[in-house]
Amino acid sequence: MDTAPIVHELPWGEVWGQDDAVAQLRAAATDPASMTHAWLLTGPPGSGRSVLARAFAAQLIAGEGEEHVMRQVLAGTHPDLTTLRTEGVIISIREARALVERSYFSPSLGRYRVIVVEDADRMTERTSNVLLKALEEPPERTVWVLCAPSDADLLPTIRSRVRTLRLRDPEVADVARLIVQRTGVDPAVAEQSARLAQRHIGMAQRLATDAASRARREQTLRAVLGVRGVGDAVEVAGRIVQAATEDAKALTAERDAGERAALLRTLGVAEGAAVPPSVRGQVNALEDEQKRRATRSLRDGIDRVLTDLQSLYRDTLMLQFGRETDLINLELADDLRALASAWTMQRTLTVLDQISVTRSNLELNAAPALALESMLVTVASGRTP
């Protein structure tokens, strides 16, 4: 399949492979008859929901030919754009109320005020209800853009008040060619990374440019394939949590230190000096926010492992049905053929179901190690705990 053309002009230059969605949003931004006050962009992780939302916001806010305004919006610095990127496990009611309050302000410089909510699926029912009135009776020049993997991830009351636009799923070959264009990596590495990432563009780029990430993924899957009993389950679960924890620390440690140093400078606290009691509350608030971000980063890392495991047992099931094509984990094909012969289809389905249960349990704040141990006991025995 040919790679979908990449649009180069502002503000759509970073949007890739979503020509139909771009056409619809362009028409809406220029034709009042095609416009609505609230949109929901849905698509799998890595499909470019947030990138498309920012481009749409730039088209809405900027006037004809105002490229400097578009660049401001795309950079996230324009006063008429508000973006919520939650770094916690959920979007809090406090964050939602702040968005609603801001949505009632008239545009300060641009044609519209645009509110972008990334990861809108992370809203609880109570948080979603905070948005309802704003979505029902929005100001004339305010546009909401929600982003989520699927419309099913939002309450029916939210879905009924937005226009849904689903992004297309890219093909592995499309993602591979894009990665080659962006990074210059070997096409074979790009194809492998796109396949293993299951067409998630950001993850594919990370795998393509980080051999250690590719090796760690393979080591984790091989370790799971080697689980034979409770002892193995406990050991491998611990290794998965440890690796995810180290990844989370690597991703957040430098940023956390920079944020703390910047806050102390703003508060007039010299480097290395004790924090005065008068400002300790602000420092504690920052540390609490950083802990929530670290928790989400850890959960996201474990969720990525679960996605990889789903691909492993999906391949097993494909082989059990006699399908040798379209395997995700080609590098493990021999091991998977042996597993497909040793297991029944029912056992494979049981494991896949348990992976889904584990994901749900983690969303409900189950202890990661215990949740993974339980899942891996099912892998070893074929029975649910």
Side-chain angles (χ1 to χ4, degrees):
M1 179 177 179
D2 292 336
T3 304
I6 300 175
V7 184
H8 292 287
E9 71 272 17
L10 286 172
W12 308 99
E14 294 301 316
V15 179
W16 173 82
Q18 301 295 345
D19 289 0
D20 290 344
V22 168
Q24 290 187 56
L25 294 178
R26 265 183 158 165
T30 55
D31 178 10
S34 301
M35 190 58 189
T36 188
H37 66 280
W39 297 78
L40 171 60
L41 306 183
T42 68
S47 59
R49 301 183 305 252
S50 301
V51 175
L52 185 62
R54 286 195 298 272
F56 184 38
Q59 188 79 67
L60 288 171
I61 292 170
E64 185 69 29
E66 292 183 331
E67 289 194 0
H68 66 289
V69 175
M70 291 184 182
R71 295 184 191 280
Q72 267 190 297
V73 177
L74 293 173
T77 58
H78 195 282
D80 291 328
L81 171 68
T82 301
T83 302
L84 175 59
R85 302 181 184 90
T86 181
E87 294 183 324
V89 176
I90 61 170
I91 294 174
S92 68
I93 291 179
R94 175 183 57 81
E95 291 171 317
R97 285 176 177 157
L99 280 185
V100 170
E101 180 180 349
R102 194 166 184 81
S103 75
Y104 286 103
F105 297 162
S106 297
S108 57
L109 298 172
R111 299 189 303 141
Y112 289 91
R113 177 171 297 281
V114 181
I115 312 291
V116 176
V117 182
E118 299 182 8
D119 300 320
D121 54 305
R122 292 182 182 267
M123 293 189 296
T124 63
E125 182 173 353
R126 289 180 62 204
T127 305
S128 297
N129 288 333
V130 171
L131 297 187
L132 279 178
K133 184 174 177 58
L135 294 176
E136 289 171 342
E137 303 173 5
E140 182 180 357
R141 291 293 175 180
T142 293
V143 177
W144 288 82
V145 185
L146 311 182
C147 303
S150 166
D151 57 355
D153 294 319
L154 277 71
L155 293 179
T157 48
I158 295 287
R159 298 201 301 266
S160 66
R161 290 163 173 79
V162 299
R163 180 182 298 175
T164 300
L165 183 60
R166 177 161 182 81
L167 278 60
R168 66 178 286 270
D169 295 343
E171 299 293 333
V172 168
D174 295 342
V175 175
R177 280 192 284 270
L178 178 67
I179 298 304
V180 171
Q181 290 174 14
R182 287 183 174 180
T183 67
V185 300
D186 182 89
V189 173
E191 185 280 333
Q192 179 194 34
S193 300
R195 174 167 40 79
L196 298 182
Q198 300 178 62
R199 301 174 294 183
H200 185 300
I201 296 170
M203 183 58 63
Q205 185 162 322
R206 181 184 178 189
L207 289 173
T209 56
D210 186 355
S213 292
R214 298 197 301 275
R216 186 162 56 248
R217 180 189 185 278
E218 182 171 346
Q219 289 166 2
T220 298
L221 297 191
R222 288 191 182 279
V224 171
L225 287 172
V227 170
R228 296 291 182 268
V230 175
D232 293 338
V234 172
E235 179 187 353
V236 173
R239 285 161 55 184
I240 291 173
V241 173
Q242 181 180 0
T245 301
E246 290 172 355
D247 270 358
K249 287 180 179 178
L251 290 170
T252 60
E254 184 176 349
R255 179 178 175 183
D256 288 354
E259 288 175 345
R260 179 183 172 86
L263 176 62
L264 292 177
R265 283 197 302 272
T266 301
L267 297 173
V269 179
E271 184 177 353
V275 178
S278 58
V279 300
R280 197 167 292 154
Q282 296 177 62
V283 175
N284 290 341
L286 173 63
E287 290 175 348
D288 288 342
E289 181 64 29
Q290 290 174 341
K291 288 176 183 176
R292 285 191 290 271
R293 185 167 64 207
T295 298
R296 174 175 173 180
S297 184
L298 172 60
R299 295 293 173 86
D300 287 349
I302 293 175
D303 188 75
R304 185 67 227 174
V305 173
L306 294 177
T307 299
D308 291 336
L309 292 179
Q310 282 181 320
S311 77
L312 192 74
Y313 295 108
R314 171 262 187 200
D315 284 351
T316 303
L317 195 62
M318 293 277 285
L319 290 168
Q320 288 173 327
F321 275 107
R323 294 279 300 276
E324 291 274 347
T325 58
D326 298 326
L327 296 183
I328 294 169
N329 299 282
L330 285 175
E331 294 73 18
L332 299 174
D334 290 342
D335 300 273
L336 294 177
R337 289 190 188 96
L339 188 64
S341 298
W343 282 13
T344 64
M345 290 184 188
Q346 183 57 51
R347 179 167 177 175
T348 307
L349 290 170
T350 297
V351 170
L352 284 167
D353 287 344
Q354 193 62 24
I355 292 173
S356 296
V357 169
T358 302
R359 177 172 275 127
S360 298
N361 289 341
L362 289 171
E363 290 174 355
L364 295 173
N365 291 324
L370 292 177
L372 289 173
E373 287 171 13
S374 178
M375 180 200 70
L376 292 175
V377 167
T378 298
V379 170
S381 66
R383 297 184 298 273
T384 55

